[in-house]
Amino acid sequence: MPELPEVETVAQGLRRRALGRRIAAVEVRQPAVIVGSPEGFVSTLTGRTLTGLERKGKALALELTAANGAEPRFLLVRLGMTGQFTVTPQSVPIAPHTHVLIALDDGHEELRFRDVRRFGRLRSCTREELQAVLGAMGPDAQRMTEAQFLAAMRDRRGAIKSWLMNQNLMAGVGNIYADEALFQAGIHPLAQPGRVSPAKAHRLYQAVRRVLERAVRLGGTTFSDYLDVEGRPGEFLKMLRVYQRTGRPCRRCGCKIRRLVIAGRSSHFCPSCQPPPRRKAQMHGPRRPGV
Ligand SMILES: [Zn+2]
């Protein structure tokens, strides 16, 4: 599933390949992926020029300027589980599950939105509508300050794995990078955010930043569907330390990586590098008689 590094890679590709280009025509082949009316989607986008691009968390927003000076509109893109957004020559046969075609300039190339599982969404919206969507998210995981991160952890209960993936607290981290960051920080996925030591919380903040930065540099992680705008897979797969490595030896200590289901999602961790959280009673040490 595309997370921040994959979406950022798509954003960088669109900046290179699509900015400054005009939308000549829009074809919706599968209305279910459009938020709002497909007719409105087509009519509000056609004829506009792609003049800007913003990413927050896993959401992408392309700014669309009208030649007549009308208010800009925004194409909000969410890749969902298996979404692909590519710049493709029109001569290339259309792959199955391609739901939207956006012809650029003279129509020799087009943006294609393909999504096998169809959890992705495209929406044409106003600035206010866009701000409402982006404003509901927590700070972007790459731009969040350490003070914001630590404040969001304070007094939080529940599994830290779920906390890392809560888009209302921090936007952009999903299953892959949550597992990897917890491993780097030596924190068990079931630890409670509010009980993690300050030193480990600091390490986790650093780990999130580092793991995202490295993954962006390698173009993200491809397991099955994710591709960049040129149709290339991401290269971070070989860097994974725990994600999807159940039963294989930890690259740091040799212990077997384990899998645990938390809130319906698989978590992968090293039982030795990420020891289980201690209970409160143990944290205060053994009770001494007479005290
Ligand atoms: Zn280990």
Side-chain angles (χ1 to χ4, degrees), residues 127-150:
R127 190 184 294 279
E128 291 69 35
E129 290 167 336
L130 177 69
Q131 290 315 325
V133 171
L134 300 185
M137 296 177 189
D140 180 81
Q142 266 196 323
R143 297 187 284 262
M144 196 172 191
T145 65
E146 183 162 358
Q148 286 175 313
F149 187 88
L150 298 179

Side-chain angles (χ1 to χ4, degrees), residues 28 31 34-44 124:
V28 175
I34 305 294
V35 177
S37 95
E39 296 76 22
F41 180 83
V42 171
S43 67
T44 52
S124 165

Side-chain angles (χ1 to χ4, degrees), residues 15 22-23 42-43 49 64 104-105 109-110 121 135 155 191 201 206 261 272 279:
R15 282 194 191 102
R22 186 177 165 274
I23 294 178
V42 171
S43 67
T49 301
L64 304 161
L104 299 171
D105 300 330
E109 284 190 322
E110 55 196 17
R121 290 292 177 268
D155 300 329
Q206 302 279 355
V261 176
S272 159
R279 296 237 171 90

Side-chain angles (χ1 to χ4, degrees), residues 183 249-257 269-274:
F183 173 77
C250 169
R251 289 182 175 152
R252 191 182 287 159
C253 76
C255 262
K256 277 189 179 173
I257 300 299
F269 67 102
C270 169
S272 159
C273 296
Q274 297 165 264

Side-chain angles (χ1 to χ4, degrees), residues 46-201:
T46 306
R48 287 177 179 258
T49 301
L50 299 163
T51 50
L53 194 146
E54 188 186 342
R55 180 195 57 74
K56 185 175 183 190
K58 307 176 197 176
L60 263 184
L62 289 94
E63 184 170 354
L64 304 161
T65 306
N68 63 8
E71 285 289 297
R73 288 199 74 91
F74 296 85
L75 170 57
L76 181 62
V77 179
R78 291 175 176 275
L79 297 174
M81 299 277 289
T82 55
Q84 301 168 348
F85 205 57
T86 57
V87 178
T88 309
Q90 208 176 29
S91 54
V92 173
I94 296 169
H97 310 290
T98 300
H99 306 312
V100 179
L101 304 172
I102 300 174
L104 299 171
D105 300 330
D106 55 9
H108 276 92
E109 284 190 322
E110 55 196 17
L111 287 170
R112 291 184 181 177
F113 180 65
R114 177 173 185 265
D115 188 0
V116 173
R117 296 193 57 188
R118 253 204 257 152
F119 286 107
R121 290 292 177 268
L122 302 187
R123 176 180 175 188
S124 165
C125 52
T126 63
R127 190 184 294 279
E128 291 69 35
E129 290 167 336
L130 177 69
Q131 290 315 325
V133 171
L134 300 185
M137 296 177 189
D140 180 81
Q142 266 196 323
R143 297 187 284 262
M144 196 172 191
T145 65
E146 183 162 358
Q148 286 175 313
F149 187 88
L150 298 179
M153 281 180 82
R154 208 162 293 143
D155 300 329
R156 279 271 165 178
R157 299 168 73 99
I160 196 157
K161 171 68 186 287
S162 307
W163 178 86
L164 280 169
M165 293 170 61
N166 183 336
Q167 303 300 301
N168 301 325
L169 299 174
M170 174 171 71
V173 173
N175 219 16
I176 299 176
Y177 301 107
D179 279 1
E180 293 297 312
L182 287 172
F183 173 77
Q184 299 289 349
I187 298 173
H188 192 280
L190 284 176
Q192 291 194 24
R195 292 224 189 123
V196 169
S197 71
K200 281 202 166 177

